[in-house]
Amino acid sequence: MDVLTQYAWIAWLVLILVFATIEVFTLEMTFLMLALGSVAGLLSGLFGIPWWAQFVVAAVVAIGLILTLRPSLLRALQRGADPARSNVDALIGVDGSVVRTVGPAGGQVRLQNGEVWTARLSPITEQVDVAVGERVLVTGIDGATAVVVPLERSTPQ
């Protein structure tokens, strides 16, 4: 056991490098907290604490950092994020008009952004044909197919 205590610093260095490397690829701050806990374990080992106590120190520090520091770091990281939706997410909620009758077998719609998409009716709506020129709303994207529901026509009263 003396050998384990004597060379524990090597294990701590390896853990720090592994956790830091994983953190670079994930950016979820969990592995950063584990790396900092490993630093605490390494420092406690330099003061001559037994290997099992080093492990306890590392675990307590890592859990404490995950519960206290990680949430504020995640908020700061997400604060600068672009709030605009992109790709498929940007198409949800977009309206368009039918260019080829949309029925249970499918059809085509021209979306508000000018793109023409293959479309099918959403399973939550009545499965009746939607004629050319009628307005539809995109409720989802399934592969290369827009899932749409017909917009209600507002009649003047």
Side-chain angles (χ1 to χ4, degrees):
M1 282 303 192
D2 188 37
V3 173
L4 185 61
T5 303
Q6 186 177 0
Y7 294 106
W9 65 274
I10 296 173
W12 289 119
L13 286 178
V14 169
L15 282 174
I16 292 167
L17 290 173
V18 168
F19 289 148
T21 303
I22 293 171
E23 181 59 41
V24 167
F25 292 109
T26 62
L27 288 178
E28 69 173 38
M29 301 298 172
T30 302
F31 288 99
L32 177 63
M33 302 303 121
L34 293 174
L36 293 174
S38 297
V39 169
L42 174 65
L43 292 176
S44 66
L46 295 178
F47 289 109
I49 296 176
W51 67 269
W52 58 269
Q54 294 174 30
F55 179 77
V56 170
V57 167
V60 167
V61 169
I63 290 171
L65 289 173
I66 287 172
L67 295 176
T68 58
L69 185 59
R70 182 177 178 263
S72 60
L73 286 176
L74 285 177
R75 277 193 301 276
L77 184 65
Q78 293 169 350
R79 187 174 307 135
D82 185 10
R85 297 183 306 171
S86 62
N87 300 331
V88 172
D89 293 332
L91 297 175
I92 308 297
V94 171
D95 64 317
S97 61
V98 175
V99 293
R100 186 177 301 157
T101 303
V102 177
Q108 283 187 335
V109 296
R110 181 178 308 279
L111 301 180
Q112 192 176 22
N113 63 7
E115 296 178 352
V116 176
W117 277 72
T118 302
R120 67 175 165 80
L121 291 172
S122 172
I124 64 169
T125 188
E126 186 179 351
Q127 299 294 309
V128 296
D129 289 351
V130 182
V132 173
E134 288 193 45
R135 306 293 298 166
V136 292
L137 179 72
V138 177
T139 59
I141 301 293
D142 184 17
T145 303
V147 180
V148 298
V149 295
L151 286 176
E152 299 296 323
R153 292 184 185 166
S154 58
T155 55
Q157 304 267 343

